[in-house]
Amino acid sequence: MEVLNESDHKTVPKRGMSTGGKVLIGVTGGVGLGLSIVCASFVAPAFRKFCLPYVPATTEQIQNVLNFLPKNATGKLLDIGSGDGRIVVAAAQHVKALKTDGVELNPWLVYYSRLAALRYGVGKQSRFFRRDLWKFNIKEYNYVVIFGVEQMMQDLEHKLIAECPHNAKIIACRFPLPQLEPQRIIEDGVNTVWFYDLSKQSRPENNNS
C-alpha cells in the first residue's frame, strides 16, 4: 500500500468571483428591483374595491370626447383615472380657454402625463394629481370625463351628483351611468361615449346606504 505524506497533498486555491461578475449581479438585481417597484404600481389597483385598470384611450374615443367640448368652452375639466394624460392634453389643445386636470393613482402615469403636457405645449394649462379618485373633490369642475368600469359606475354616479356643480357636463366612456339620462350618445362600439348635462334632468336620490 502506498502511503501519502501530508506534503504530498496540494491545496487547490479557491477562486473568488470576478469583479465583472459582481457588477453584473448588482446591475441585474437593481433592474429587477426597479421593475418590481414599477410593476407594483400597476398591479396594486387590482387589490382595491374597484379596479380601474390602465387602458389607453383610442384615437376614436379621444375624438368622440372632443365632440362634446365646444370650442368656446370655459371653466375646468377633470379626467377621472387620467392614465397617461392623453385626454387631458387633447382637451387642452382643443379648447385653449379650458383648464384641464387629471387625477390618477399610479405615480408613474402621473409623471409621464406631466412630461407629455410639457411636450405638447399645454403644461401651464394642465395639471395632474396623484390622488384616490374617491377622496378627490370635484365640486369645481364644469366638465368631467370618465373612463370607468361597470362595477364602479353607480358609486361614481353618487359622487358626481353629490359634488358636481348643478350645470356640470359629464362625458362617460366605455360604460354609461346607471340612472342619469344621457342627452346625447355617440354609438361607436367600444368607443361609445355618453354625454350628460346635469342641469337638464332631475337627479336621482343620492342614497349611499
Side-chain angles (χ1 to χ4, degrees):
M1 172 183 281
E2 183 179 359
V3 180
L4 296 177
N5 297 322
E6 290 186 4
S7 58
D8 294 327
H9 290 279
K10 294 183 179 180
T11 302
V12 179
K14 294 182 179 180
R15 298 185 62 183
M17 183 179 295
S18 67
T19 302
K22 292 179 181 178
V23 171
L24 180 60
I25 291 176
V27 170
T28 303
V31 171
L33 178 61
L35 289 174
S36 298
I37 293 173
V38 173
C39 291
S41 300
F42 289 87
V43 175
F47 297 96
R48 302 175 64 83
K49 179 181 177 181
F50 295 110
C51 176
L52 189 58
Y54 167 54
V55 181
T58 66
T59 301
E60 292 78 10
Q61 286 170 336
I62 295 173
Q63 186 56 54
N64 289 345
V65 168
L66 297 182
N67 285 338
F68 291 121
L69 294 178
K71 285 284 189 178
N72 61 347
T74 57
K76 301 179 70 175
L77 174 145
L78 176 68
D79 182 12
I80 291 179
S82 53
D84 60 8
R86 61 184 65 190
I87 287 289
V88 174
V89 170
Q93 293 176 318
H94 182 69
V95 185
K96 299 300 183 183
L98 195 64
K99 296 293 184 180
T100 60
D101 293 347
V103 57
E104 169 63 49
L105 194 59
N106 187 315
W108 303 104
L109 292 176
V110 171
Y111 300 147
Y112 179 89
S113 299
R114 290 170 179 169
L115 290 174
L118 292 173
R119 176 186 176 189
Y120 289 103
V122 294
K124 294 183 178 180
Q125 188 179 346
S126 304
R127 299 179 301 173
F128 295 91
F129 302 93
R130 181 179 178 258
R131 305 274 181 80
D132 183 334
L133 70 89
W134 301 108
K135 300 176 182 178
F136 190 82
N137 197 317
I138 59 177
K139 66 180 181 180
E140 61 184 77
Y141 292 98
N142 310 96
Y143 293 88
V144 178
V145 181
I146 308 162
F147 278 79
V149 293
E150 188 173 12
Q151 294 82 357
M152 69 181 287
M153 298 307 286
Q154 183 168 349
D155 284 359
L156 188 54
E157 183 179 72
H158 291 161
K159 180 177 176 67
L160 294 168
I161 292 171
E163 297 181 19
C164 279
H166 74 281
N167 61 346
K169 312 299 189 293
I170 313 298
I171 303 171
C173 308
R174 299 196 178 112
F175 293 96
L177 296 169
Q179 297 183 63
L180 294 178
E181 187 69 26
Q183 270 59 61
R184 288 178 56 198
I185 303 175
I186 296 179
E187 299 282 0
D188 194 11
V190 296
N191 299 317
T192 298
V193 175
W194 294 262
F195 177 79
Y196 303 85
D197 186 340
L198 295 186
S199 68
K200 294 183 178 180
Q201 59 187 298
S202 60
R203 302 186 183 193
E205 291 296 327
N206 185 16
N207 181 13
N208 291 315
S209 59

